[in-house]
Amino acid sequence: QLWVYGSGYATAPIAIVVPKIDQLRTIAASAGVKDQDVATLCQSPVVRKAVCDQLLALGKQSDLKHFEYVKNVFLEWNVNADGAAWTTENGMLTPTMKVKRKELLHKYYKTIMGLYAEIGDELPAEE
């Protein structure tokens, strides 16, 4: 699962990523991070940068404009048995499996503000 969030007050979008565990371990290994538990991998700055770099490469390959490139990521490790963090049951998806942006923004507000602060963007307190 992936949610890209952009603010008119920011220089670039950020992403909340729910990684597949096997892919996360592969990315971590290629970045030189030894096998660790999922929560530790998701919080690793090296792994987060490696995921962000992959999103950047995908953005360039897809001919996105420079201001559309994802500049920072949060890796969500709190998932259900199916590996999903967002479901209809927890109110983060609609019955047609679309993300509920307002609910995701509410859930990840502090995380989003922190991601933007890490890249030097300051957003208004309430957006």
Side-chain angles (χ1 to χ4, degrees):
Q1 293 175 305
L2 170 71
W3 178 48
V4 176
Y5 176 79
S7 168
Y9 298 103
T11 58
I14 53 90
I16 308 294
V17 180
V18 182
K20 292 185 178 181
I21 304 306
D22 56 336
Q23 291 175 344
L24 179 67
R25 291 191 189 286
T26 300
I27 291 168
S30 68
V33 177
K34 295 184 180 187
D35 197 26
Q36 300 173 0
D37 66 271
V38 174
T40 303
L41 289 175
C42 285
Q43 295 174 69
S44 164
V46 173
V47 174
R48 287 179 51 215
K49 182 176 180 335
V51 171
C52 196
D53 288 347
Q54 286 195 350
L55 290 174
L56 177 62
L58 184 60
K60 289 179 178 180
Q61 180 184 7
S62 301
D63 293 323
L64 295 180
K65 306 289 186 223
H66 73 281
F67 57 86
E68 297 174 312
Y69 296 157
V70 170
K71 296 290 186 192
N72 205 353
V73 298
F74 172 76
L75 303 177
E76 177 64 84
W77 64 90
N78 292 313
V79 299
N80 65 15
D82 296 326
W86 312 322
T87 65
T88 55
E89 291 80 15
N90 68 15
M92 297 297 143
L93 296 179
T94 68
T96 58
M97 306 307 282
K98 295 177 185 172
V99 295
K100 292 184 175 180
R101 291 181 183 98
K102 187 176 181 180
E103 284 79 357
L104 288 174
L105 180 58
H106 179 73
K107 176 178 178 156
Y108 292 106
Y109 181 77
K110 288 182 181 178
T111 300
I112 290 167
M113 296 300 279
L115 291 172
Y116 276 121
E118 286 177 12
I119 61 171
D121 281 347
E122 285 193 38
L123 273 60
E126 289 292 326
E127 190 168 307

